[in-house]
Amino acid sequence: MGVLVRGKSGKAGERRRALGRWLTEHRWPAGSVPLPPAGSVPRPPGGLRLFARSRRSRLPSWPVLRLPRTRRVQRRLVQGLMAACVLALVPATWMRLESGDRVGTTAEAPAREVAVVFGAGLWKGRPTPYLAHRLDAAAELYRTGKVKVVLVTGDNSRVEYDEPDAMRTYLTGRGVPDERIVSDYAGFDSWDSCVRAKKIFGVDRAVLVSQGFHIHRAVTLCRSAGIDAYGVGVDEPRDTTWYYGGARELAASGKAALDALLRPDPRFLGPEEQGVSEALAAGAR
């Protein structure tokens, strides 16, 4: 503990020496915190004030963000931020315009042979609430005769995580026959799911099922992949997850625009599968 002595007069040196002699006489231990109770130690010589300071007690000095001082630099900074916001909104705006008249409710959805349900995560091996709501909408489409087959596409990149099988189990529990469900185990993102639905499973026309904040991107990507797609946007309460999903769409829309423009192959393509055609043939018997 350091000792700081301040004098009321200009004779600061004499007061420091007087305080030093007083501390030596009364053997006041250095670093004694807190100070001894009042009355237990005689007061120091008059006119002197004792201040205890410790380096540990000092507040950390955080860096201060300072704005540019010149108006010209400030104006350029604001213009740069505005340009970045506009660039972030352009892809999302384009996708909404591209798919605006192709998104509706389950009641408004046209009759198509196939419904495509995109994965949305698992919780303890079961569909998350958002994924469950997508599957509920797909089950309703099947019960009302709007679709004949449900293609569930999701992530199964590791053994302990299997979205398609969890989605299949949920749908069978909601009355969809197991033989009317087809699983795509390599739907790692929306673009991969759309391309694989077209190239691997031979889907030409489909009803897509997802949340409202994602369905416009899904419809745009599937149309770019060659699928005549209509999207069913599942309503959700405006909770934290919904706002997070909306913010995430702004970031994902840039990649989606590049996918729609460049049309890359999915991470895993593989051979063609007859699951959808076989399920349709079984339903026609």
Side-chain angles (χ1 to χ4, degrees):
M1 179 177 71
V3 177
L4 174 66
V5 181
R6 298 178 181 173
K8 292 184 178 180
S9 65
K11 301 179 180 180
E14 294 182 10
R15 293 181 182 277
R16 292 192 186 96
R17 288 191 291 272
L19 178 58
R21 290 193 297 271
W22 182 84
L23 291 173
T24 302
E25 178 183 351
H26 294 90
R27 301 181 183 278
W28 196 355
S32 57
V33 179
L35 295 176
S40 61
V41 177
R43 296 182 62 185
L48 296 176
R49 290 183 293 174
L50 189 65
F51 294 86
R53 295 191 306 182
S54 173
R55 291 185 177 180
R56 294 182 179 180
S57 64
R58 297 177 184 175
L59 294 176
S61 57
W62 299 101
V64 179
L65 179 63
R66 299 182 183 278
L67 293 176
R69 295 184 178 182
T70 62
R71 291 183 178 275
R72 182 179 179 182
V73 178
Q74 291 177 358
R75 184 167 57 252
R76 288 185 176 180
L77 178 61
V78 172
Q79 291 173 348
L81 292 175
M82 293 177 63
C85 292
V86 170
L87 290 176
L89 291 173
V90 166
T93 303
W94 168 67
M95 291 181 187
R96 283 192 171 268
L97 293 175
E98 184 73 12
S99 60
D101 59 343
R102 291 174 173 266
V103 173
T105 64
T106 53
E108 298 168 342
R112 301 281 172 88
E113 291 183 333
V114 182
V116 179
V117 185
F118 297 85
L122 302 179
W123 175 253
K124 296 182 178 180
R126 296 177 57 84
T128 60
Y130 270 44
L131 180 54
H133 296 163
R134 298 181 186 185
L135 296 169
D136 289 336
E140 181 180 349
L141 290 171
Y142 179 82
R143 286 195 300 267
T144 57
K146 293 290 184 71
V147 300
K148 301 176 181 179
V149 173
V150 180
L151 173 62
V152 292
T153 173
D155 187 355
N156 182 217
S157 57
R158 55 190 189 276
V159 176
E160 67 277 7
Y161 190 84
D162 191 342
E163 276 188 316
D165 278 357
M167 297 162 74
R168 176 186 290 271
T169 301
Y170 188 95
L171 284 173
T172 56
R174 297 302 183 276
V176 181
D178 185 74
E179 63 272 13
R180 300 296 183 88
I181 305 171
V182 180
S183 299
D184 175 14
Y185 294 96
F188 300 126
D189 60 21
S190 299
W191 175 250
D192 286 11
S193 295
C194 291
V195 174
R196 286 180 54 81
K198 173 66 176 180
K199 294 185 176 182
I200 303 302
F201 296 94
V203 176
D204 295 320
R205 305 171 73 240
V207 177
L208 313 181
V209 184
S210 187
Q211 266 69 34
F213 54 74
H214 171 249
I215 195 62
H216 293 276
R217 177 160 62 97
V219 169
T220 302
L221 290 176
C222 280
R223 292 189 66 197
S224 297
I227 299 176
D228 181 7
Y230 184 92
V232 170
V234 179
D235 291 331
E236 296 288 350
R238 300 299 193 263
D239 56 5
T240 304
T241 305
W242 188 90
Y243 285 109
Y244 168 77
R248 181 178 177 274
E249 280 302 303
L250 291 177
S253 60
K255 176 186 178 300
L258 290 176
D259 288 337
L261 178 64
L262 302 177
R263 302 184 181 182
D265 286 335
R267 279 176 281 180
F268 180 79
L269 192 59
E272 295 183 7
E273 298 185 19
Q274 305 300 319
V276 170
S277 58
E278 291 175 355
L280 290 173
R285 294 171 187 169

